[in-house]
């Protein structure tokens, strides 16, 4: 059985090794994904309506989504396990703050964020660890704060591991992840499914959630 610290170390090492290639892949990748941009824009609008508080992109990688959220008017910073990914993020976006950390144990006080984005970053978390991550997202969000999850959807199948290019990842039935989020104290605002585009293997799932009182 893989212990949590083991999967975190494996994930960080795998992204450290792939950081240069990832930075190349991710540069401007949102430009060709209008539905993804629409979800991020909706998240930003909901967050702005709650007030001017900070937003964290957890598992920010090389920082393209963090910068996109900044461009949407949010006071955003990034957190990631991989120091090498963050080196690229800081080089490309020197005006933004990026910190090394893990989304299952954040160095943040309770209730300090207005928004959390996990954009394809819970994908490497073993399914049994997901409730702990959701509880941590809830802990750092203020009441009424927004959570956006983007992930690979399982298209009618059960939660399943697959051979992601960097390291093992998991596909989720969107309803099952939504149910875990509800158990963790989130109310669903909306969901979006997108079919795979050119060069993509799987359907994409997006859940927009609000932290309850
Ligand atoms: C597929 S990349 C996505 C990066 C970025 N969000 C984007 O869309 O370009 C996944 C990222 O999540 C990070 N990650 C995975 N598990 C994490 C954890 N427990 N805490 C923080 N970062 C994590 C990885 O290091 C990697 O940079």
């Amino acid at each position: 059985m893989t212990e949590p610290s083991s999967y975190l170390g494996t994930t960080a090492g795998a992204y450290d090794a792939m950081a240069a290639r990832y930075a190349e892949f991710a540069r401007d990748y949102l430009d060709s994904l209008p539905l993804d941009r629409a979800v991020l824009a909706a998240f930003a609008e909901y967050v702005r309506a709650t007030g001017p508080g900070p937003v964290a992109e957890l598992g920010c990688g090389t920082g393209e989504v963090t910068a996109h959220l900044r461009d949407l008017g949010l006071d955003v910073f990034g957190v990631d396990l991989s120091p090498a990914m963050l080196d690229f993020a800081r080089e490309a976006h020197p005006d933004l703050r990026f910190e090394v950390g893990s989304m299952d144990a954040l160095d943040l006080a309770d209730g300090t964020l207005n928004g959390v984005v996990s954009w394809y970053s819970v994908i490497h978390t073993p399914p049994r660890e997901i409730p702990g991550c959701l509880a941590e997202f809830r802990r750092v969000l203020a009441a009424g704060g927004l959570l956006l999850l983007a992930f690979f959807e399982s298209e009618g199948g059960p939660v399943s591991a697959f051979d992601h290019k960097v390291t093992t990842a998991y596909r989720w039935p969107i309803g099952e992840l939504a149910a875990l989020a509800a158990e963790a104290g989130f109310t669903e605002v909306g969901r979006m499914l997108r079919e795979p585009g050119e060069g993509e293997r799987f359907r994409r799932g997006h859940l927009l959630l609000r932290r309850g009182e």
Side-chain angles (χ1 to χ4, degrees):
M1 194 161 105
T2 310
E3 294 305 319
S5 57
S6 159
Y7 90 78
L8 293 174
T10 301
T11 303
Y15 275 96
D16 277 346
M18 291 283 283
R21 282 169 67 186
Y22 193 93
E24 184 63 31
F25 150 77
R27 188 182 321 131
D28 304 328
Y29 83 118
L30 286 171
D31 289 358
S32 59
L33 299 172
L35 287 174
D36 298 45
R37 293 200 308 277
V39 167
L40 289 162
F43 167 81
E45 191 170 336
Y46 275 97
V47 171
R48 287 195 308 266
T50 71
V55 173
E57 194 208 347
L58 304 177
C60 62
T62 51
E64 284 69 26
V65 172
T66 323
H68 189 74
L69 293 166
R70 181 267 324 276
D71 294 345
L72 290 167
L74 300 183
D75 172 17
V76 63
F77 64 97
V79 175
D80 202 280
L81 280 177
S82 161
M85 293 285 273
L86 293 181
D87 286 345
F88 281 96
R90 292 187 187 107
E91 190 181 336
H93 310 289
D95 56 317
L96 289 174
R97 179 161 62 93
F98 295 100
E99 295 171 2
V100 175
S102 179
M103 64 179 128
D104 65 339
L106 294 161
D107 188 16
L108 292 168
D110 294 0
T112 48
L113 300 179
N114 271 8
V116 163
V117 173
S118 167
W119 195 257
Y120 297 97
S121 57
V122 292
I123 61 171
H124 301 296
T125 302
R128 68 179 178 281
E129 307 294 341
I130 290 290
C133 287
L134 292 169
E136 186 66 348
F137 298 164
R138 186 180 193 281
R139 182 185 71 75
V140 297
L141 277 167
L146 278 303
L147 169 63
L148 177 61
L149 302 174
F151 53 94
F152 298 103
E153 216 275 338
S154 64
E155 298 170 43
V159 182
S160 50
F162 71 94
D163 57 338
H164 184 275
K165 276 182 192 145
V166 182
T167 185
T168 302
Y170 300 86
R171 299 170 65 190
W172 279 84
I174 194 166
E176 201 167 320
L177 204 48
L180 288 180
E183 281 171 29
F186 289 95
T187 303
E188 185 169 333
V189 177
R191 57 178 72 186
M192 193 277 275
L193 291 173
R194 176 172 72 69
E195 297 306 317
E198 197 181 331
E200 295 180 337
R201 289 163 75 189
F202 303 125
R203 180 182 292 164
R204 309 305 175 102
H206 308 79
L207 282 169
L208 180 59
L209 305 147
R210 188 185 290 280
R211 181 203 190 280
E213 294 301 317

